[in-house]
Amino acid sequence: MGYPSMFLSVPDHHGFCFTQAFQSIGLGLATALGAALASPGRLPVAACGDGGFLMAIAELETIRRLGLGMLIVVYNDNAYGAEVHHFGPHGHPLDIVRFPDEDLAAIGRGFGCAGATVRSRDDLGAVSDWLAGARRQPLVVDAKVASSHASWSL
Ligand SMILES: Cc1ncc(C[n+]2csc(CCOP(=O)(O)OP(=O)(O)O)c2C)c(N)n1
Ligand SMILES: [Mg+2]
């Protein structure tokens, strides 16, 4: 939630939904789906953590089925990162809040979406190509982010 707030610009106040008002993870995809339906003609962009994305992954089928050309960016640190950064320094065990390195682009393709794995700027060509195309399928971007440091928002 920190990275998109810091680095994405929006055209106006109708163009940004911050799901943290509910304090619950897993609401990103459903919120973006609602926003996309409420604002046809705009490019919907969902920004999710990997944990929240996987918690609500069934929404991906709906987004694809409704033909919403949504860009879905998953900030993937292979963890419930907030828990790692909040509780790790106090010495709590972290094994249940860390995940294996999943291929979220492949999982997205399994739902009928396009998928791209991004580890560096060079990999963003796949996103440019999708943007320039017809955008009939949603694009799931598995953005592999560093996990050694917390976002400033924590
Ligand atoms: C339903 C629910 N369960 C647990 C939590 C506690 N919690 C807050 S942030 C977080 C981790 C979310 O992981 P991810 O979506 O991958 O984002 P990250 O912190 O890694 O950027 C958890 C489990 C919560 N807020 N809501
Ligand atoms: Mg995470």
Coordinates of all heavy atoms in Angstrom, one line a residue, residues 49-51 75 77-81, ligand 2:
G49 N -0.4 -6.6 -2.4 CA 0.7 -7.4 -1.9 C 0.5 -8.8 -2.4 O -0.7 -9.2 -2.7
D50 N 1.5 -9.6 -2.3 CA 1.3 -11.0 -2.7 C 0.4 -11.8 -1.8 O -0.4 -12.6 -2.2 CB 2.7 -11.7 -2.9 CG 3.5 -11.6 -1.6 OD1 3.7 -10.5 -1.1 OD2 4.1 -12.7 -1.2
G51 N 0.5 -11.5 -0.5 CA -0.4 -12.1 0.5 C -1.9 -11.8 0.3 O -2.7 -12.7 0.2
Y75 N 3.1 -6.6 -5.7 CA 4.4 -6.3 -5.1 C 4.8 -7.6 -4.3 O 4.3 -7.7 -3.1 CB 4.3 -5.1 -4.2 CG 4.0 -3.8 -5.0 CD1 2.7 -3.5 -5.4 CD2 5.0 -2.9 -5.3 CE1 2.4 -2.3 -6.1 CE2 4.7 -1.8 -6.0 CZ 3.4 -1.5 -6.4 OH 3.2 -0.3 -7.1
D77 N 7.0 -9.9 -2.3 CA 8.2 -10.1 -1.4 C 8.2 -11.5 -0.8 O 8.9 -11.7 0.2 CB 8.2 -9.0 -0.3 CG 7.1 -9.1 0.6 OD1 6.1 -9.8 0.3 OD2 7.1 -8.4 1.7
N78 N 7.3 -12.4 -1.3 CA 7.2 -13.8 -0.8 C 6.9 -13.8 0.7 O 7.5 -14.6 1.4 CB 8.5 -14.5 -1.1 CG 8.9 -14.6 -2.5 OD1 8.0 -14.7 -3.4 ND2 10.2 -14.4 -2.8
A79 N 6.0 -12.9 1.1 CA 5.8 -12.9 2.5 C 4.5 -12.0 2.9 O 4.1 -11.2 2.1 CB 7.0 -12.3 3.3
Y80 N 4.0 -12.3 4.0 CA 3.2 -11.3 4.7 C 4.2 -10.3 5.3 O 4.5 -10.3 6.5 CB 2.3 -11.9 5.8 CG 1.1 -12.7 5.4 CD1 0.8 -13.9 6.0 CD2 0.3 -12.3 4.3 CE1 -0.4 -14.6 5.6 CE2 -0.8 -13.0 4.0 CZ -1.1 -14.2 4.6 OH -2.3 -14.9 4.2
G81 N 4.7 -9.4 4.4 CA 5.8 -8.6 4.8 C 5.6 -7.8 6.0 O 6.5 -7.6 6.8
Ligands
MG2 MG 4.0 -9.5 0.7

